[in-house]
């Protein structure tokens, strides 16, 4: 159950930050009471894997009161030291591997509490075009805003911005310095510093990176948003936009950003200055993945959109095309890389789990399809949903036909199975 007292406290902090944008908050950590930590506990994901200590959410909850009181005492005395983050590796679509961190469950509670306090202040400063990892924001809001901005501002050029290894390259000292612009609390600063230097346990090897955020923790997305708010967002609003000759916009989701410009000269000027801006903060703009793309509405005499550029953002390819009524509109389809990765995952799962009871397979595959449809089910993308759906059916039937009792399973037999265990059908979920 959510605490009304904690909610009221956070609302008061937010109101002060909103009414006094010049204030620097220096006395927030004392609000981390036992009841505040309990609220943070309620907001932590209980299903995530445990960290290096092996303590699960269920185990921690067995002595919740005592655990929270002990945690509060350590925080109050300045004796809380975060354990190292356990690192695991996930394969990316390009064959490379991406590191994921797993903090301990108790550390997630402390990170959530700190994020609640710091976020209450910084949420008042963040712009509405920043959508990543924020309450009441979503990827679909970013997609809708992007489409409306491109069509409403008559945008002709898109800068597809890619920062090389952003989460791994944020400088620790600079991160704290930027956070201090609004929250300069000694105890919170100490906690943030300890998280940054807690170390990473990769197998049996313990390292202490000199830059980057503690990935996997709930504090990491907030620190990243604060960093990019100062490096990109606020700079764009206060310095860049007033100097542009035409209309322009910025939309950002974590470190994935798109800038739209009405005029080519503005876009090229911005492309020239972006690397210098990020270099000042120890970051590098990817030289090949960052691209300037012609994304204009085709002229009347053009009967196809051939030659007009496309770009990917948040898993969708964005392109101009004719509507059923003959008007030029921007539509989105599942990005090729995302779709190929999903199909590869489906094939591998069906192969590896073909001997699992069929009802359990159906439950898992249905969950995969529902998740895919929930995200990619936007208007204009139905054909790509059908592609994923049909591929899953074929992969499931193929691997079912290669297990003992169902060997040689025909399509007719498979369709009888589907009548009993139907898969979720593709549908449009988001009319954006």
């Amino acid at each position: 159950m959510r605490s009304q007292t904690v909610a009221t406290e956070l609302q008061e902090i937010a109101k002060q930050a909103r009414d006094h944008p010049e204030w620097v908050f220096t006395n927030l950590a004392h609000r981390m009471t036992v009841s505040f930590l309990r609220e943070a506990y309620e907001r932590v994901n209980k299903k995530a894997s445990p960290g290096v200590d092996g303590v699960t959410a269920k185990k921690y909850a067995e002595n919740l009161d005592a655990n929270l009181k002990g945690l509060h005492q350590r925080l109050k005395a300045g004796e809380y030291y975060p354990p190292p983050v356990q690192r695991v590796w996930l394969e990316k679509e390009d064959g490379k591997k991406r590191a994921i961190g797993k903090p301990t469950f108790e550390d997630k509670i402390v990170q959530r509490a700190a994020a609640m306090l710091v976020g209450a202040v910084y949420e008042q400063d963040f712009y509405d075009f920043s959508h990543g990892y924020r309450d009441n924001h979503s990827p679909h809001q970013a997609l809708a805003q992007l489409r409306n901005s491109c069509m409403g501002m008559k945008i002709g050029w898109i800068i597809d911005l890619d920062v090389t290894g952003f989460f791994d390259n944020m400088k620790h000292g600079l991160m704290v310095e930027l956070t201090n612009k609004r929250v300069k609390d000694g105890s919170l600063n100490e906690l943030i510093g300890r998280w940054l230097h807690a170390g990473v346990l990769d197998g049996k090897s313990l390292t202490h990176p000199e830059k980057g955020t503690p990935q996997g923790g709930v504090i990491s997305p907030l620190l990243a948003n604060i960093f990019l708010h100062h490096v990109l967002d606020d700079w764009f609003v206060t310095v860049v936009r007033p100097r542009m000759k035409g209309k322009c916009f910025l939309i950002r989701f974590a470190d994935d950003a798109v800038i739209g410009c009405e005029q080519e000269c503005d876009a090229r000027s911005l492309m020239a200055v972006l690397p210098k801006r990020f270099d000042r903060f120890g970051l590098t703009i990817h030289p090949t993945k960052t691209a300037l793309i012609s994304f204009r509405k085709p002229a009347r005499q053009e009967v196809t959109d051939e030659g007009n550029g496309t770009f990917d953002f948040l898993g969708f390819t964005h392109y101009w095309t004719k509507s059923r009524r003959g008007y030029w509109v921007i539509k989105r389809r599942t990005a090729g890389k995302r779709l190929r990765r999903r199909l590869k995952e489906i094939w591998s799962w069906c192969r590896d789990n073909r001997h699992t009871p069929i009802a359990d397979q159906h439950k898992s595959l249905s969950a995969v399809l529902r998740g895919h449809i929930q995200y990619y089910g936007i208007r204009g993308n139905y054909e790509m949903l059908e592609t994923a759906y049909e591929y899953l059916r074929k992969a499931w039937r193929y691997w079912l036909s290669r297990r003992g009792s169902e060997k040689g399973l025909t399509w007719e037999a498979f369709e009888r199975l589907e009548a009993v265990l139907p898969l979720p059908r593709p549908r449009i979920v988001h009319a954006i």
Side-chain angles (χ1 to χ4, degrees), residues 110-318:
V110 184
Q111 288 193 35
R112 175 61 68 189
M116 287 159 60
L117 289 170
V118 177
V121 176
Y122 262 101
E123 272 296 322
Q124 316 316 310
D125 295 355
F126 292 157
Y127 294 100
D128 286 339
F129 56 73
S130 169
H131 295 279
Y133 308 109
R134 296 177 60 193
D135 290 341
N136 303 316
H137 287 261
S138 72
H140 297 98
Q141 286 179 317
L143 291 167
Q145 190 178 41
L146 173 59
R147 183 179 186 273
N148 293 339
S149 297
C150 284
M151 297 184 70
M153 295 183 181
K154 298 181 180 179
I155 294 301
W157 297 86
I158 290 289
I159 298 175
D160 185 1
L161 182 61
D162 188 279
V163 184
T164 303
F166 171 69
F167 284 95
D168 295 326
N169 289 293
M170 286 187 287
K171 292 184 177 179
H172 291 172
L174 193 54
M175 196 183 308
V176 174
E177 179 183 331
L178 293 177
T179 303
N180 283 349
K181 288 180 178 292
R182 282 288 260 161
V183 179
K184 196 173 184 179
D185 182 294
S187 297
L188 284 175
N189 282 353
E190 184 68 24
L191 270 177
I192 292 172
R194 290 178 182 179
W195 279 315
L196 296 176
H197 297 94
V200 176
L201 186 64
D202 191 347
K204 295 183 179 180
S205 176
L206 178 63
T207 58
H208 294 82
E210 296 182 359
K211 55 185 179 179
T213 60
Q215 288 199 39
V218 295
I219 195 68
S220 182
L222 176 60
L223 293 177
N225 272 333
I226 292 172
F227 201 93
L228 284 174
H229 170 78
H230 291 291
V231 174
L232 180 61
D233 301 356
D234 198 53
W235 171 73
F236 180 84
V237 170
T238 60
V239 178
V240 173
R241 196 158 60 187
R243 289 171 167 78
M244 295 289 100
K245 295 180 179 179
K247 295 177 182 177
C248 61
F249 70 82
L250 165 66
I251 294 175
R252 183 174 65 79
F253 193 95
D255 61 332
D256 198 358
V258 167
I259 300 173
C261 295
E262 182 182 11
Q263 297 192 17
E264 181 179 358
C265 60
D266 289 339
R268 295 197 178 279
S269 296
L270 197 46
M271 276 289 285
V273 77
L274 276 170
K276 301 174 186 176
R277 173 66 182 179
F278 277 80
D279 184 63
R280 284 183 54 190
F281 296 89
L283 297 173
T284 304
I285 298 295
H286 199 289
T288 56
K289 291 184 179 180
T290 297
L292 177 60
I293 301 149
S294 172
F295 194 71
R296 67 199 183 281
K297 177 181 177 180
R300 286 186 179 180
Q301 63 269 25
E302 296 182 81
V303 295
T304 71
D305 58 351
E306 184 179 356
N308 199 37
T310 67
F311 67 95
D312 290 353
F313 182 62
L314 297 180
F316 290 90
T317 297
H318 302 249

